[in-house]
Amino acid sequence: MAGIWEGQGTDQHPAAWGVERNDFFERYELQPVDRQTNGPQLFYGLRYHTHLVKPGEVETFHDQVGYWLWEPAARTVTLTLGIPRAQALLASGPAAAHSTDFELRAEVGSEVYGILSNPFLDESFRTLSYRIHVTVNANGTWSYEEEGVLQIPGRAEPFRHIDRNTLTRVAAPTPNPLARSAT
């Protein structure tokens, strides 16, 4: 999945009148990082930045940074996610070395794969759970569906905020420039 990817996706999010749906253009950069160790624990990873705008607009619709990490010994993929509205999460799920289909999850209140929000988001748009399902497609693209389940005051049922996209690689990744110059 390393590289620079682009695609046109869809977003379903809460609005004062109910549900709003928007199309968006996404640029998703996944750059390799050197392997990471925690004592005996070993991670291989990609640092990412995804940036979304609505068609025909330049103002950011959504921005997100973090890491995709694979731990071979545990056969897990972990996603760290941070957004500039003061929210962060850590989601994980099982995946073998050559998995082309996997799902990661996080729950509010969990101390290991959980969700943290600022006081406003926690009160007004409390994220109860997060799920992302990733499929690496045979044609070289990759797709995701992510769902944040939100509890919103005044609504009896939790709201399912859903984003979907299929991304096409438009450029190769940039290797660690220091490692490249050392060879």
Side-chain angles (χ1 to χ4, degrees):
M1 291 174 46
I4 300 172
W5 304 79
E6 293 180 349
Q8 182 95 23
T10 60
D11 171 75
Q12 170 186 299
H13 61 271
W17 59 86
V19 177
E20 184 174 358
R21 289 179 178 81
N22 293 111
D23 290 333
F24 60 81
F25 174 78
E26 182 170 17
R27 181 177 176 89
Y28 205 119
E29 296 191 31
L30 288 151
Q31 299 294 349
V33 297
D34 293 336
R35 65 190 182 111
Q36 304 293 307
T37 58
N38 291 321
Q41 188 179 40
L42 172 65
F43 287 111
Y44 294 95
L46 300 168
R47 179 184 60 252
Y48 79 92
H49 174 223
T50 184
H51 185 253
L52 285 66
V53 296
K54 293 180 184 177
E57 295 185 13
V58 295
E59 184 177 342
T60 299
F61 179 57
H62 181 78
D63 194 80
Q64 182 177 307
V65 297
Y67 293 91
W68 286 90
L69 303 169
W70 182 60
E71 184 182 5
R75 297 173 54 107
T76 60
V77 171
T78 299
L79 172 69
T80 71
L81 180 158
I83 60 173
R85 290 183 303 245
Q87 188 173 53
L89 71 80
L90 190 65
S92 192
H98 299 289
S99 293
T100 58
D101 192 72
F102 55 90
E103 189 166 282
L104 314 177
R105 294 180 173 271
E107 301 287 331
V108 72
S110 174
E111 292 186 17
V112 290
Y113 296 115
I115 302 162
L116 296 172
S117 302
N118 75 50
F120 171 77
L121 287 177
D122 193 54
E123 291 176 24
S124 302
F125 299 94
R126 182 177 178 83
T127 303
L128 303 174
S129 65
Y130 171 86
R131 172 191 61 82
I132 184 166
H133 188 100
V134 173
T135 304
V136 179
N137 303 307
N139 67 359
T141 64
W142 68 280
S143 304
Y144 70 83
E145 177 184 274
E146 66 180 353
E147 174 188 64
V149 178
L150 310 175
Q151 186 63 60
I152 302 171
R155 294 192 183 193
E157 297 295 318
F159 183 89
R160 295 177 60 228
H161 177 181
I162 298 173
D163 291 324
R164 292 182 179 95
N165 204 350
T166 296
L167 297 152
T168 300
R169 189 169 159 174
V170 297
T174 306
N176 173 339
L178 296 176
R180 184 177 55 211
S181 65
T183 59

